[in-house]
Amino acid sequence: MKKIRYVLIALMIGCLIFCFWLISNKNNKYEKQEFIMDTTCSITLYGKECEAAGNAIFDEIRRIDSLMNMHDEKSEISRINRAKANEKIKVSNDTYYVLKTALEICRESDGAFDITIAPVTSLWDFKSGKAEIPSEESIKNALLCVGYYNIVLDGNNTVYKLKDESCIDLGAAAKGYAGDKALEVAKKYSLTGGIIDLGGNILCFGENPTGDNGKWKVGIQTPFKQTGTYEKIIEIDNKTVVTSGTYQRYFEKSGKIYHHIIDPETGYPSRQKYNSVTIVADSSLKADCLATAIFVMGEKGKNLAKKYNGDVYIE
Ligand code: ADP
Ligand code: MG
């Protein structure tokens, strides 16, 4: 009898400790925004170690940016871009993995996605508001240097180019990879859930304490409407949602919209009838590459998403 009483008391104490742990965890919230990778990165985390996790996640995003930003002359991508043909460049595991994955999607999309688009993207300026269309001649010349097959992965984290002029732009892939790595960091901490949003690359994990069923809901931004206007809202469970759209980086000239997703065949913004492509998948890196690829490919790109187990939403 006495033994049962002790067991019951121990159980009650155990329950109390668990409830306190649960309450203290739920009350811990971290919310921060920073401008990195040319976009606003918003992180919301819940759980005991949210503060430390948030700081570590931002450090990780900055680390990926410093490896892959083509505008940072110290980055590994800049080193490759400056290299001569056949000059072997040793890179980190991160850069090598991103190049390998991105080049696979370049091949699978038949060049609709092409990470060597840099000479063309460098001609276009969607930021300053100048609304200048590059000359036909300059686009034609830049296109001569575009071709993902000019980048060779030589094993052992070594990369070389077949042409001096080939240059890599990971603008459509690096944010996705940073998202995957941010999630990896988050998982090392005691957290109950969170949402990582790297400017349209969204990753959710664990439980949403503000949702009715603990699930995370992500709205697909209605193009050209006020931020936060959603026609479609999807419930996701440990997945990533990545959107490539025309409506955030563009200029208008003579009634025509010129946006930042370039068709590598023409060197001009991809002319499609829609304004955004959203991919829901497991890997944010692959989803990022696929969203851009499918934006250029149109309807026929849907088969490519299927190959990678991604769901596609076109707006
Ligand atoms: P966002 O940057 O808004 O997330 P994307 O993921 O589609 O959108 O990336 C667009 C960026 O990718 C461009 O700013 C440019 O740097 C690069 N890019 C543009 N067109 C292509 C393309 N066809 N293939 C690969 N990269 C591209
Ligand atoms: Mg992309």
Side-chain angles (χ1 to χ4, degrees):
M1 205 54 197
K2 226 174 173 181
K3 214 171 166 185
I4 293 178
R5 226 172 50 211
Y6 281 137
V7 171
L8 279 175
I9 290 170
L11 267 174
M12 271 166 63
I13 293 173
C15 275
L16 272 173
I17 292 172
F18 181 68
C19 287
F20 273 126
W21 176 81
L22 219 60
I23 290 165
S24 65
N25 260 358
K26 289 223 156 142
N27 285 341
N28 282 332
K29 182 179 177 185
Y30 172 95
E31 212 170 11
K32 199 174 168 193
Q33 291 194 336
E34 246 184 72
F35 196 81
I36 320 174
M37 301 188 110
D38 212 15
T39 196
T40 304
C41 301
S42 311
I43 313 244
T44 306
L45 305 170
Y46 297 93
K48 207 165 58 189
E49 297 184 320
C50 59
E51 188 78 32
N55 293 334
I57 288 173
F58 274 115
D59 284 347
E60 182 67 356
I61 298 170
R62 274 184 229 105
R63 187 181 73 83
I64 303 301
D65 182 45
S66 72
L67 292 174
M68 300 177 197
N69 186 342
M70 69 180 270
H71 303 293
D72 174 354
E73 60 177 40
K74 293 201 274 323
S75 75
E76 293 187 334
I77 293 303
S78 289
R79 268 177 50 220
I80 299 173
N81 289 351
R82 279 194 303 270
K84 295 266 173 251
N86 299 313
E87 187 184 331
K88 297 202 173 176
I89 306 287
K90 187 112 178 157
V91 296
S92 59
N93 289 339
D94 297 284
T95 302
Y96 200 75
Y97 175 72
V98 172
L99 289 175
K100 190 163 175 265
T101 310
L103 283 171
E104 185 186 299
I105 296 177
C106 290
R107 275 191 298 275
E108 296 273 1
S109 68
D110 221 358
F113 178 75
D114 193 323
I115 56 168
T116 64
I117 194 78
V120 179
T121 50
S122 302
L123 295 174
W124 290 91
D125 172 8
F126 300 104
K127 281 194 220 165
S128 71
K130 278 191 198 140
E132 273 170 19
I133 301 165
S135 72
E136 240 172 80
E137 180 79 8
S138 63
I139 289 183
K140 219 169 87 193
N141 286 334
L143 278 176
L144 295 175
C145 315
V146 176
Y148 61 89
Y149 36 81
N150 289 315
I151 306 296
V152 184
L153 301 185
D154 201 28
N156 263 330
N157 288 10
T158 306
V159 186
Y160 66 90
K161 311 187 293 191
L162 297 179
K163 271 187 177 173
D164 288 348
E165 308 81 22
S166 294
C167 278
I168 298 171
D169 174 353
L170 288 181
K175 267 188 291 166
Y177 182 67
D180 289 331
K181 294 302 282 184
L183 187 63
E184 223 175 275
V185 171
K187 287 188 172 163
K188 290 184 185 152
Y189 290 83
S190 171
L191 300 169
T192 54
I195 181 158
I196 296 163
D197 178 356
L198 312 185
N201 287 55
I202 299 171
L203 299 97
C204 306
F205 66 95
E207 190 186 299
N208 175 6
T210 61
D212 10 317
N213 54 4
K215 292 266 172 71
W216 294 99
K217 287 189 180 129
V218 175
I220 298 178
Q221 172 68 37
T222 308
F224 298 107
K225 289 271 164 69
Q226 199 184 353
T227 305
T229 310
Y230 309 124
E231 258 156 47
K232 204 168 277 143
I233 294 178
I234 39 182
E235 201 173 81
I236 53 163
D237 203 3
N238 289 312
K239 291 257 177 193
T240 176
V241 181
V242 179
T243 301
S244 269
T246 56
Y247 52 90
Q248 252 158 356
R249 202 146 281 175
Y250 69 95
F251 62 75
E252 214 171 324
K253 190 151 191 174
S254 316
K256 227 170 152 184
I257 282 183
Y258 293 84
H259 59 81
H260 73 146
I261 304 168
I262 306 293
D263 184 342
E265 226 166 74
T266 63
Y268 286 85
S270 166
R271 289 274 159 238
Q272 298 290 1
K273 285 187 244 57
Y274 42 82
N275 285 305
S276 84
V277 170
T278 298
I279 307 285
V280 180
D282 292 323
S283 148
S284 206
L285 166 60
K286 289 178 186 169
D288 199 0
C289 300
L290 286 172
T292 309
I294 293 165
F295 194 97
V296 177
M297 294 167 88
E299 284 296 317
K300 66 176 192 273
K302 284 186 170 173
N303 285 334
L304 184 59
K306 247 191 229 151
K307 246 187 182 167
Y308 286 89
N309 289 325
D311 295 328
V312 190
Y313 298 84
I314 294 181
E315 294 276 307

